[in-house]
Amino acid sequence: MDNGFEKSRISVGEMWGPSHEDSLRQRIVIPYYQRGYRWTTVEVLQLLEDVVQWNETSPYFLQLLVYRVDAEGRWRIIDGQQRLTTVMLILETFKAFRESSSLGVEVGENAILRSLDFSIEYDRENQQNGLDAHFKADAITAVLDWCRKNNQEVDNVESKILQSEFLRYEVSDLDAEVGMFRRINRWKVSATDSEIVKCKLLTGDKRGRSLEWNVIERALSDDSFWSWMAPTGNRYDGDRMGLLLRYAGFGSEKNSKGKEVVQKFPLYESSLLKLKSNDVEGVWKSVLFAFERLQRLYLNDRHYHMFGWLVHIGTGIEELRSRDIELLFREKAKSVFDMETSSGVLLRDDEKLYKTESDNWCKDRIVNLLFLANIAWCLSRGLKYDFAAHRKVCGKWSVEHIHAKNQAMLDEHSFKSLAFRSEYSGDVHQLWVAYSQLENEEAEKFLADRLSDSANYPDADEDHSLGNLALLPRNTNSSLNDKSFPYKLAQILDWCVKRSSDYWVPPMTLAVFSKEISQDSWPYWSTKDRDGYKRCLVHLIDGLLKSNAEQEN
């Protein structure tokens, strides 16, 4: 024995050689904390090619196999699962291919999967379903194709595989199993923080925690649920249970100076004290509580929108998990305005309020405000804001001027539909000829001076007020820059029809450009449109900032 494990070599033939009866073949168990089978066909075929080119003067080396022998004599695989499963899959596929060839029938892939399932047991329920079955089926198909192309090589390659050897490490006890898994996987991508916590939580489980864990994992695989609770660019995209553990209160520790202590596995480290004291149930209750709270928030329309907005404006996990959502939401929302109520801001000189000294008006505060307006718009209409689509924009949001100062000129049809002052209404065609010869900025002033008051045409000056701003992904800027309102509307409708994730249009932005809010018929963004939009913003956000009790009154 050496540091809790024993090492030696073992060939594939010693474990599963053709001379062994099925009942005597080494039984393999994949523990709870292991990921499922994830080798692609590229990796499977690469292994086959390596074996084909192997020099038979020495055994082909299949690398490391770490395991612990349980009370039933089964090997609980700690490391080497992917390569081990692939080897067994290849052998089972070779066997099925030979038998089907001799009988002149097609190979049954499902039969190979069932045979493989006989050789490998899983702590986890329904391991053969979902992604595992998908990757295994792909691998079997690839090996069968290889067999059909290399029919004469099957027996020779099988012989080489049976002679191939693993370097095996046998771990002595349960504690060593957990420790070894952690040490081996410390520098591997496959060992996530939550998997190490899972190892401790589910090893020796007698009360069904593994089933509860699987239920939670399935819920987190729902893209709508995940996108709602997971901020853009968070490091847990590849470890969804890891983010839930953060919501349960586990994560990076801070030193006496308030700085985060750098840890390779912060979730495991922060839960280690409870796990070492055998308070596994306490850790699990924290996880369940966090999950059930998130579910309640997700299923409540009002809290769904509040929580999702808080997540995607960058609110910290600690605040999200520990604060009352209604109170936290109102606090963060009011900070966007720097005042007590939204109307106090929106109805004042909002252009000066949001325009900085450098004229860089497109700040996070405006983006968050317009994002909030979209949330309120959906909630007021019984819609669900699509956080999955929002998240795919990757935080790269911009603010679009609905009516641009130097926007492209109107076409002749749109121009002639306008309402001009009485002194100019006699010969509209002559006006069109004069207008069409002007540059953009001059054309804007030309229209502003000649249209009737009922046309509500905006001033020629650039308008940075909130009634002229809408939320769009940043990469739409080049497509809409200085374009006319009809062009912008047509482009936005086209993006909506194509459902492009790169050009996703938030719901209130679509309502703005389609004039669902103001219902003004002019082919431009009029002052009537602008003022109506601003009043709508005030009404929606004020309503959202009210508590449930205030709304009932």
Side-chain angles (χ1 to χ4, degrees):
M1 300 294 292
D2 180 19
N3 294 328
F5 56 83
E6 185 174 39
K7 55 188 177 182
S8 63
R9 288 177 175 267
I10 187 169
S11 71
V12 175
E14 289 178 84
M15 294 186 283
W16 303 292
S19 61
H20 287 201
E21 297 292 334
D22 284 343
S23 60
L24 298 178
R25 291 189 178 189
Q26 181 57 56
R27 294 165 65 196
I28 298 297
V29 178
I30 307 300
Y32 297 108
Y33 51 80
Q34 290 279 18
R35 277 185 176 177
Y37 183 69
R38 295 295 183 271
W39 263 27
T40 65
T41 55
V42 173
E43 292 160 312
V44 172
L45 293 175
Q46 183 60 58
L47 177 60
L48 264 176
E49 186 62 29
D50 288 348
V51 174
V52 168
Q53 298 180 17
W54 165 51
N55 180 355
E56 295 186 42
T57 58
S58 61
Y60 179 77
F61 180 48
L62 288 165
Q63 299 184 15
L64 185 68
L65 185 64
V66 183
Y67 64 93
R68 179 179 69 84
V69 180
D70 66 14
E72 299 177 37
R74 305 176 303 175
W75 287 6
R76 294 177 58 82
I77 304 301
I78 301 169
D79 191 56
Q81 176 209 168
Q82 305 294 326
R83 190 172 293 267
L84 177 65
T85 302
T86 302
V87 167
M88 296 173 72
L89 182 148
I90 291 172
L91 291 176
E92 293 292 346
T93 305
F94 279 2
K95 178 182 176 183
F97 177 77
R98 273 198 305 269
E99 291 175 352
S100 63
S101 296
S102 63
L103 296 173
V105 297
E106 286 294 319
V107 182
E109 293 180 9
N110 288 334
I112 298 174
L113 277 172
R114 287 194 297 272
S115 179
L116 189 63
D117 192 33
F118 178 81
S119 302
I120 304 177
E121 301 172 49
Y122 294 86
D123 282 343
R124 207 182 324 172
E125 294 291 329
N126 300 321
Q127 182 71 27
Q128 289 290 63
N129 296 327
L131 283 175
D132 282 48
H134 168 76
F135 279 94
K136 288 176 183 175
D138 280 355
I140 289 170
T141 300
V143 176
L144 284 173
D145 288 344
W146 184 91
C147 289
R148 295 184 186 104
K149 295 174 184 176
N150 302 276
N151 188 12
Q152 304 302 317
E153 290 291 317
V154 170
D155 290 345
N156 181 42
V157 173
E158 181 185 56
S159 176
K160 291 180 178 181
I161 290 175
L162 291 172
Q163 294 175 52
S164 300
E165 294 182 342
F166 285 102
L167 178 62
R168 63 172 177 169
Y169 285 73
E170 182 179 340
V171 174
S172 60
D173 54 42
L174 184 59
D175 287 339
E177 175 181 335
V178 176
M180 178 60 73
F181 176 78
R182 182 177 172 218
R183 289 198 299 275
I184 287 173
N185 287 279
R186 179 174 291 273
W187 303 112
K188 290 186 178 180
V189 173
S190 60
T192 63
D193 205 354
S194 69
E195 286 172 336
I196 299 171
V197 177
K198 181 181 181 182
C199 172
K200 263 292 189 183
L201 285 174
L202 303 187
T203 299
D205 174 31
K206 294 181 180 179
R207 63 165 299 278
R209 282 192 297 271
S210 60
L211 295 178
E212 293 172 324
W213 184 284
N214 289 340
V215 168
I216 293 172
E217 278 193 326
R218 284 195 292 273
L220 294 178
S221 68
D222 178 356
D223 195 42
S224 173
F225 185 52
W226 174 252
S227 299
W228 165 77
M229 64 178 278
T232 302
N234 84 93
R235 64 188 177 119
Y236 293 107
D237 273 347
D239 182 17
R240 297 191 174 192
M241 284 296 291
L243 182 60
L244 179 61
L245 287 168
R246 289 283 288 112
Y247 276 114
F250 303 107
S252 300
E253 299 289 338
K254 292 186 178 180
N255 59 26
S256 57
K257 296 182 179 179
K259 293 185 178 180
E260 282 195 358
V261 179
V262 178
Q263 297 167 314
K264 183 65 180 176
F265 296 109
L267 298 173
Y268 179 72
E269 298 288 349
S270 64
S271 62
L272 195 56
L273 187 60
K274 284 188 175 182
L275 293 173
K276 278 187 174 180
S277 63
N278 291 322
D279 187 16
V280 172
E281 195 60 30
V283 172
W284 186 240
K285 282 182 178 178
S286 298
V287 174
L288 283 179
F289 177 82
F291 174 66
E292 289 166 1
R293 177 177 179 264
L294 287 168
Q295 279 197 315
R296 287 195 301 273
L297 293 170
Y298 180 76
L299 295 173
N300 180 295
D301 282 347
R302 181 175 169 84
H303 291 160
Y304 167 86
H305 289 93
M306 288 180 169
F307 188 87
W309 182 78
L310 287 167
V311 166
H312 291 283
I313 65 167
T315 307
I317 296 292
E318 187 57 35
E319 284 189 292
L320 289 168
R321 63 170 292 272
S322 61
R323 296 279 305 279
D324 176 86
I325 292 303
E326 292 265 355
L327 295 176
L328 179 61
F329 173 79
R330 286 198 291 277
E331 177 186 305
K332 295 289 184 181
K334 288 175 181 177
S335 71
V336 171
F337 311 117
D338 280 345
M339 293 189 71
E340 286 302 309
T341 63
S342 61
S343 57
V345 172
L346 295 175
L347 295 182
R348 282 179 48 190
D349 190 351
D350 55 344
E351 181 169 355
K352 288 184 179 178
L353 181 65
Y354 288 101
K355 195 177 180 186
T356 66
E357 292 180 1
S358 62
D359 284 347
N360 185 16
W361 52 269
C362 186
K363 294 294 186 182
D364 288 344
R365 193 163 55 153
I366 305 179
V367 170
N368 290 342
L369 186 151
L370 293 174
F371 178 21
L372 180 63
N374 274 272
I375 294 296
W377 173 266
C378 288
L379 188 58
S380 70
R381 282 156 178 73
L383 305 173
K384 233 180 173 181
Y385 188 82
D386 190 348
F387 288 103
H390 181 97
R391 196 169 184 267
K392 288 176 182 175
V393 178
C394 300
K396 297 176 181 177
W397 290 97
S398 184
V399 177
E400 177 69 25
H401 281 88
I402 303 169
H403 177 87
K405 179 182 178 182
N406 296 316
Q407 70 172 16
M409 297 171 63
L410 297 174
D411 59 29
E412 184 175 1
H413 175 76
S414 297
F415 180 88
K416 290 183 176 181
S417 70
L418 302 179
F420 292 94
R421 297 180 189 276
S422 57
E423 61 265 35
Y424 297 109
S425 59
D427 190 351
V428 176
H429 180 72
Q430 186 177 351
L431 283 176
W432 161 250
V433 172
Y435 170 81
S436 63
Q437 294 174 356
L438 300 174
E439 297 295 331
N440 287 13
E441 190 170 349
E442 294 175 321
E444 280 287 292
K445 191 174 186 308
F446 181 92
L447 285 178
D449 291 343
R450 288 165 176 75
L451 288 174
S452 70
D453 292 339
S454 63
N456 298 309
Y457 196 78
D459 297 334
D461 293 334
E462 190 165 20
D463 184 0
H464 294 307
S465 70
L466 288 170
N468 192 44
L469 304 177
L471 186 66
L472 279 171
R474 192 178 301 168
N475 56 6
T476 64
N477 272 358
S478 59
S479 301
L480 301 181
N481 190 36
D482 292 339
K483 297 296 191 294
S484 66
F485 184 86
Y487 178 93
K488 291 181 179 181
L489 172 60
Q491 186 67 74
I492 284 171
L493 291 175
D494 183 60
W495 291 333
C496 290
V497 169
K498 293 179 179 178
R499 304 177 72 86
S500 170
S501 61
D502 292 332
Y503 297 94
W504 181 68
V505 180
M508 192 175 189
T509 300
L510 175 60
V512 165
F513 278 94
S514 58
K515 295 205 175 187
E516 182 180 339
I517 296 172
S518 63
Q519 299 181 341
D520 192 357
S521 60
W522 297 119
Y524 49 81
W525 189 245
S526 69
T527 56
K528 181 181 176 181
D529 292 320
R530 180 193 64 198
D531 295 341
Y533 175 35
K534 187 183 290 189
R535 285 194 299 271
C536 182
L537 286 171
V538 171
H539 174 72
L540 288 173
I541 295 175
D542 272 350
L544 192 55
L545 288 177
K546 290 179 180 177
S547 66
N548 285 321
E550 289 173 323
Q551 288 181 336
E552 290 172 3
N553 293 332

